[in-house]
Every structure is written in C-alpha cells, then in structure tokens.
Amino acid sequence: MIGKWHATVFDCSNTDQLASFYEDLLGMIRVQHDDNGWITIGDAPDRPALAFQQVEGYTPPSWPGQDIPQQVHLDIRVDDLDVAEQQVLALGATSMDSGTGTFRVFLDPAGHPFCLVSW
C-alpha cells in the first residue's frame, strides 16, 4: 500500500453551498475549512472525506454528454428510492429523469451527477 484514501474532491464555484448539500445528504460534519474556499466534510478529521475547492470560472459537467465530462460521481445507497428522491430534491438536487428500478440519477447544486442506488 502506498497511501490511504483521504478525500474525493469536487471543484465548484460555491464551496459553502455544495458542502452544505452533501452534509445534509450524507449526515457528515465539517472537519476542515480554510479562508481560500476549501471545505472538507466527513465523519471525523482522520477518516476519508469529501472535499470542495473553489474554482474561478467553474463550468459544470454536461452529463450525459461528454463535451464537459462528468469528472466524478457518487453512488449513494438508500433504503427507499422514492423517499430519498424527495429528500434530495428538497435539498436542491435536480432530477435527470434517468435510471432504472435500482438507481436514479441527479445533479447536485453545482451540476455534478450522483446516483441514488437501492437493491
């Protein structure tokens, strides 16, 4: 082993907005925040986390097209797709009206795709 997973990092234009979205979606807390627009959320400071870095001129991905590739996406396991869909929409997600009986695709407030999955 060379190292340990520290964080998955999302580029975005508004780190506070996107970090708040994922805090509410995943039940995480802020474990790092600096004056340069970097925010990390997780279960604890020494565990793998999601991080958000502010990028000037950020352009969101154009999923499902590849003109601007999706860059990264998360699969988030839920017990009930219908209930979870209503909850993420209330947090500010956008439905892509795409998926199957076991997953649904959404965009977070910065335009990154993510899937709710259930099986």
Side-chain angles (χ1 to χ4, degrees), residues 59-108:
T59 302
S62 61
W63 189 90
Q66 291 300 307
D67 292 334
I68 303 170
Q70 65 180 329
Q71 303 157 3
V72 65
H73 85 271
L74 299 175
D75 284 352
I76 300 166
R77 190 168 180 178
V78 299
D79 292 328
D80 185 308
L81 285 172
D82 292 330
V83 170
E85 177 172 357
Q86 293 308 309
Q87 291 171 326
V88 298
L89 292 174
L91 289 176
T94 301
S95 173
M96 293 304 295
D97 296 320
S98 180
T100 68
T102 59
F103 77 94
R104 295 182 189 158
V105 183
F106 300 86
L107 300 179
D108 69 21

Side-chain angles (χ1 to χ4, degrees), residues 13-83:
S13 60
N14 185 328
T15 55
D16 185 60
Q17 177 192 38
L18 198 57
S20 294
F21 174 83
Y22 281 104
E23 282 176 308
D24 290 341
L25 176 62
L26 300 172
M28 293 180 162
I29 60 170
R30 291 185 190 207
V31 296
Q32 181 184 9
H33 188 193
D34 69 24
D35 294 333
N36 297 319
W38 181 277
I39 298 174
T40 303
I41 65 171
D43 296 328
D46 61 340
R47 297 191 29 116
L50 295 179
F52 309 92
Q53 76 178 355
Q54 192 161 339
V55 174
E56 292 292 326
Y58 170 75
T59 302
S62 61
W63 189 90
Q66 291 300 307
D67 292 334
I68 303 170
Q70 65 180 329
Q71 303 157 3
V72 65
H73 85 271
L74 299 175
D75 284 352
I76 300 166
R77 190 168 180 178
V78 299
D79 292 328
D80 185 308
L81 285 172
D82 292 330
V83 170

